[in-house]
Amino acid sequence: MFEVRLLGPVEVWEGGRRAPLGGSRPLAVLAALVVHLGEVISTERLVDFVWDEEAPATAGALVATHVSAVRRALARVGTDEVIRTRPPGYVAELAADRVDARRFEELLTAGRSLGRTEEAADVLAEALGLWRGREALEGLGQSFARIEAARLGELRLVAQEESFGLDLELDRADGTIAPLLAHVAAYPLRERPRGQLMTALFRTGRVSDALRVYQEGRAVLRDELGIDPGPELRAVHQAVLTHDTGVLGTGRATRPVPAPRSGRTRPAPSHLPPDIADFVGRAEQVKWATELLRGVGDTGRTAPPIGVISGRSGIGKTALAVHVGHRTADLFPDGRLFVDLRAADTTPLEPADALARLLRAMGVDPDTLPSGVEELTGLYRTHIGHRRTLIVLDNAAGEAHLRPLLPPGPGSAVLITSRRRLVALEGAAHLDLAVPDEAEALDLLRRVAGAGRTGAEPERAAEIVALCGRL
């Protein structure tokens, strides 16, 4: 089977034969086209990809030469129709399952969707088995290659740590210790695998080793970053000290989950205000926000989708955010949270108070909440990090007040409303909300007052709409 391999040195195989692609420039041309699979890449962009900022004057002609070299190499293994000419450049036309990096991403997504099962562990093992080297696109030093290698490398770490977690759930602590030791040694600043290693050591009776792993982690975090371990790793450390199997678990996937004392499971929080029954129009804006939220959980992301809806007072920012929140409720099985930050008030809600509200909504005992913003932020990120939750932050004052409230990963999403555009908020998409057009405003009045009344006096209806500024 024909295959392009990126998870290691860039190679092309057909059955048992490897295509001799020659020098680094043809390899870079092929890699750039395959990384952007199915996308037409202009000759100018290929020049940038292959030479970065050091392109010779003849780079455009050299691209054509390198493309021809790649085609000849592919023809030697019986495949000569992968790289096609498409003005203004070239495109790689290849099924996604013929690229090992694409198969890896698909298997990672599938494995994470299967829950804590043997099947999920097998799928993740298959995904990790596709890697042939320590890094993706080995041997290529161009900027595009380094960026793609970093992205794929982060996904590989996610897959490895998900796999370790599954092994612990499936009572495989003995077999997990050795690979976890190597992983923690290679990535000493990552706290999740360090906690997993401590858990595996505890379950196999090596309590002193688990405590030593924590002390080593705390020392390296202080030396390298000047910080202490986060609340999740500290909780594992405390559980080891107290032999708390309620936190560290037994590792068996079939163990029963204790029910609350009431005998009922805790419902997912839903704090959104009621949707507006007379909501009309805003079709493009609803589509924009909905598509943004549908990016939640995308394995290609390492940060949450964040949308900022800005506009003047009374224009309908909150109504739009709430409406979209109700429309996309199925994307957020762990809850929909809403906090009014009260930017328009004389006393806006402080970040510590907002964090406390969010934590209480997620079921944290109010009596256990710390008082400082830093500790509250850490606790909030621990609780929200593994949930699929929509957070609507209404009436925001500024970027600094918002940053502690943002979730740490791609599992949750955030909609923010503000009179300001908040252009300094990292990673946010922006929607400037204008007044509805006259047709939408008339439609709203028609729904409120009745079609009979507005239809009988259309001029008066238009006058009312105009006097209200179409709001």
Side-chain angles (χ1 to χ4, degrees):
M1 181 182 75
F2 179 81
E3 181 183 32
V4 179
R5 299 178 179 178
L6 304 180
L7 302 180
V10 178
E11 296 176 346
V12 174
W13 287 78
E14 172 61 51
R17 293 188 297 165
R18 181 167 67 90
L21 289 169
S24 61
R25 303 297 189 197
L27 273 176
V29 168
L30 175 65
L33 291 169
V34 172
V35 166
H36 298 86
L37 194 64
E39 179 183 345
V40 176
I41 305 297
S42 69
T43 300
E44 289 75 13
R45 283 187 70 196
L46 278 174
V47 168
D48 291 339
F49 285 150
V50 175
W51 282 276
D52 286 332
E53 297 180 358
E54 301 177 356
T58 58
L62 289 173
V63 164
T65 300
H66 295 323
V67 169
S68 296
V70 171
R71 285 171 169 165
R72 287 194 300 272
L74 297 180
R76 293 191 190 104
V77 294
T79 303
D80 56 0
E81 297 183 353
V82 172
I83 308 301
R84 294 183 177 273
T85 301
R86 291 284 187 277
Y90 305 91
V91 61
E93 292 187 347
L94 187 64
D97 64 358
R98 299 298 181 90
V99 181
D100 62 351
R102 294 296 182 98
R103 289 210 313 279
F104 165 73
E105 292 188 64
E106 291 171 358
L107 288 168
L108 173 57
T109 300
R112 298 178 78 182
S113 70
L114 290 171
R116 321 306 285 178
T117 63
E118 293 272 2
E119 184 181 2
D122 292 341
V123 170
L124 288 177
E126 182 182 352
L128 291 166
L130 294 172
W131 283 78
R132 297 167 293 107
R134 183 176 177 84
E135 295 181 356
L137 291 91
E138 285 184 9
L140 295 182
Q142 290 87 348
S143 296
F144 87 89
R146 294 198 305 271
I147 292 169
E148 180 66 3
R151 186 184 74 86
L152 291 169
E154 179 62 28
L155 292 179
R156 184 187 193 182
L157 293 177
V158 170
Q160 288 174 320
E161 291 165 15
E162 288 285 329
S163 182
F164 295 144
L166 280 171
D167 285 340
L168 292 174
E169 287 284 335
L170 298 169
D171 202 15
R172 301 172 181 172
D174 283 330
T176 308
I177 291 174
L180 268 170
L181 282 167
H183 188 85
V184 169
Y187 307 99
L189 298 178
R190 293 182 75 90
E191 296 188 35
R192 184 185 181 194
R194 189 173 294 276
Q196 291 171 328
L197 176 57
M198 292 171 62
T199 301
L201 290 167
F202 173 85
R203 291 181 185 174
T204 54
R206 298 169 60 179
V207 174
S208 60
D209 287 337
L211 295 173
R212 176 178 52 79
V213 167
Y214 177 80
Q215 298 298 338
E216 290 172 352
R218 183 169 65 177
V220 74
L221 286 168
R222 286 178 172 176
D223 291 344
E224 296 290 332
L225 303 177
I227 62 173
D228 284 322
E232 189 170 353
L233 188 58
R234 293 201 305 270
V236 175
H237 176 237
Q238 183 64 29
V240 173
L241 288 172
T242 59
H243 288 249
D244 187 351
T245 56
V247 172
L248 298 170
T250 64
R252 300 195 177 276
T254 56
R255 67 182 183 272
V257 178
R261 292 182 181 178
S262 65
R264 294 172 295 183
T265 57
R266 179 183 178 86
S270 183
H271 291 192
L272 290 178
D275 199 3
I276 296 176
D278 296 316
F279 191 95
V280 297
R282 303 292 198 193
E284 289 299 319
Q285 293 84 353
V286 169
K287 180 181 178 182
W288 175 87
T290 301
E291 290 180 353
L292 175 77
L293 297 185
R294 291 199 181 281
V296 71
D298 184 348
T299 57
R301 302 182 64 99
T302 56
I306 302 171
V308 177
I309 303 170
S310 58
R312 63 185 178 88
S313 178
I315 207 163
K317 303 182 295 294
T318 303
L320 175 62
V322 170
H323 181 67
V324 171
H326 284 287
R327 284 173 59 96
T328 59
D330 60 309
L331 298 175
F332 304 100
D334 296 321
R336 282 76 58 198
L337 305 179
F338 180 96
V339 179
D340 183 359
L341 299 176
R342 303 198 307 250
D345 293 359
T346 54
T347 55
L349 193 68
E350 292 296 326
D353 295 327
L355 286 165
R357 290 189 184 187
L358 290 166
L359 285 164
R360 290 196 297 270
M362 289 186 286
V364 178
D365 185 350
D367 295 334
T368 66
L369 292 177
S371 56
V373 173
E374 186 174 344
E375 292 83 1
L376 282 166
T377 302
L379 185 61
Y380 168 67
R381 290 172 179 167
T382 298
H383 279 270
I384 199 72
H386 301 293
R387 300 183 189 225
R388 185 70 63 85
T389 303
L390 172 63
I391 304 158
V392 178
L393 301 174
D394 189 43
N395 205 10
E399 294 88 344
H401 279 71
L402 287 167
R403 291 190 180 102
L405 310 180
L406 302 180
S412 295
V414 186
L415 281 180
I416 300 164
T417 73
S418 177
R419 296 183 185 182
R420 298 177 51 212
R421 294 196 71 241
L422 305 178
V423 292
L425 191 63
E426 300 84 353
H430 295 269
L431 173 66
D432 295 322
L433 202 61
V435 296
D437 60 32
E438 185 178 18
E440 289 181 335
L442 285 169
D443 191 13
L444 175 58
L445 180 60
R446 189 178 301 114
R447 294 199 184 196
V448 174
R453 298 183 67 189
T454 56
E457 299 182 81
E459 296 82 4
R460 295 301 180 102
E463 183 181 3
I464 290 173
V465 164
L467 290 170
C468 293
R470 302 206 299 267
L471 295 180

